[in-house]
């Protein structure tokens, strides 16, 4: 009996690990699908230090992360990558990530979402990218960024990364979301 329960727990755990790995793959893959963010050629653009990550396998329509180690400074760019169990069953662009908010009331733009459907709900993954030119600094340890889904999903993961920019820089999204065809 104990062996049966243990095997059942291991199988369930392995499914979530597989889905998490698949979701992370989709996030990296989506960077190529969504094009690249560009700034003025003369502007300095570099990775900053603020980050936050979160994941869970609890049914819900939000996922939040608290900034770790450093502040997310005003004037810098925040890029959020969100991966979640798919709802669409085909490979398609979606609006699964409906909005992003934070404790500093910064404005976030969901740049796009792409689903690798795998023919069944929750068998593939949807990856989304959102950005914010930070106007109000978020403090490490208390600043929270929340992704809001258009529907309830179980497996979810997100990562936010800060990029520093020279004063007067602009950021645009170049390219369009591509499908796998």
């Amino acid at each position: 009996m104990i062996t049966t329960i243990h095997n059942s727990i291991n199988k369930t755990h392995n499914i979530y690990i597989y889905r998490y790995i698949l979701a992370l793959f989709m996030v990296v893959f989506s960077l190529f699908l969504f094009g690249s963010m560009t700034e003025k050629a003369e502007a300095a653009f570099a990775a900053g230090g603020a980050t936050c990550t979160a994941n869970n396998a609890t049914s819900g329509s939000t996922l939040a992360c608290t900034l770790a180690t450093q502040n997310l400074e005003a004037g810098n760019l925040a890029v959020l990558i969100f991966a979640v169990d798919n709802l669409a069953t085909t490979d398609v662009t979606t609006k699964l990530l409906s909005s992003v908010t934070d404790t500093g009331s910064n404005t976030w733009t969901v740049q796009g979402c792409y689903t690798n459907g795998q023919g069944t709900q929750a068998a593939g993954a949807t990856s989304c990218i959102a950005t914010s030119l930070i106007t109000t600094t978020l403090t490490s340890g208390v600043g929270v960024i929340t992704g809001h889904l258009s529907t309830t999903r179980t497996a979810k993961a997100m990562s936010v990364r800060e990029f520093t920019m020279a004063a007067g820089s602009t950021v645009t999204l170049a390219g369009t979301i591509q499908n796998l065809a």
Side-chain angles (χ1 to χ4, degrees):
M1 176 68 141
I2 291 175
T3 302
T4 303
I5 293 170
H6 178 68
N7 288 341
S8 176
I9 290 170
N10 279 341
K11 286 178 185 175
T12 302
H13 181 67
N14 288 339
I15 288 169
Y16 283 117
I17 289 172
Y18 168 75
R19 286 184 182 166
Y20 184 71
I21 290 170
L22 179 62
L24 288 177
F25 170 77
M26 288 302 300
V27 167
V28 172
F29 185 65
S30 71
L31 291 175
F32 296 105
L33 295 175
F34 290 124
S36 60
M37 285 179 283
T38 60
E39 71 289 334
K40 290 180 184 176
E42 68 276 5
F45 187 78
T51 61
C52 75
T53 59
N55 65 74
N56 74 36
T58 304
S59 182
S61 60
T62 62
L63 182 64
C65 65
T66 302
L67 286 172
T69 69
Q70 293 187 17
N71 295 343
L72 181 52
E73 301 289 342
N76 290 343
L77 175 69
V79 176
L80 176 143
I81 301 172
F82 201 100
V84 61
D85 272 346
N86 63 302
L87 180 62
T89 58
T90 60
D91 298 344
V92 64
T93 58
T94 67
K95 303 239 185 245
L96 195 53
L97 181 64
S98 58
S99 65
V100 178
T101 57
D102 66 44
T103 52
S105 299
N106 291 293
T107 300
W108 287 82
T109 302
V110 178
Q111 301 293 350
C113 297
Y114 185 80
T115 296
N116 180 337
Q118 299 295 310
T120 305
Q121 288 186 8
T126 297
S127 56
C128 305
I129 296 178
T131 58
S132 177
L133 186 54
I134 301 299
T135 55
T136 303
T137 296
L138 299 178
T139 305
S140 176
V142 295
V144 176
I145 300 169
T146 305
H148 303 271
L149 299 172
S150 60
T151 188
T152 299
R153 303 307 304 148
T154 300
K156 302 173 284 298
M158 67 186 273
S159 179
V160 178
R161 181 71 190 194
E162 174 187 32
F163 293 90
T164 61
M165 300 180 356
S169 296
T170 59
V171 176
T172 59
L173 187 67
T176 58
I177 298 173
Q178 302 296 308
N179 63 28
L180 295 176

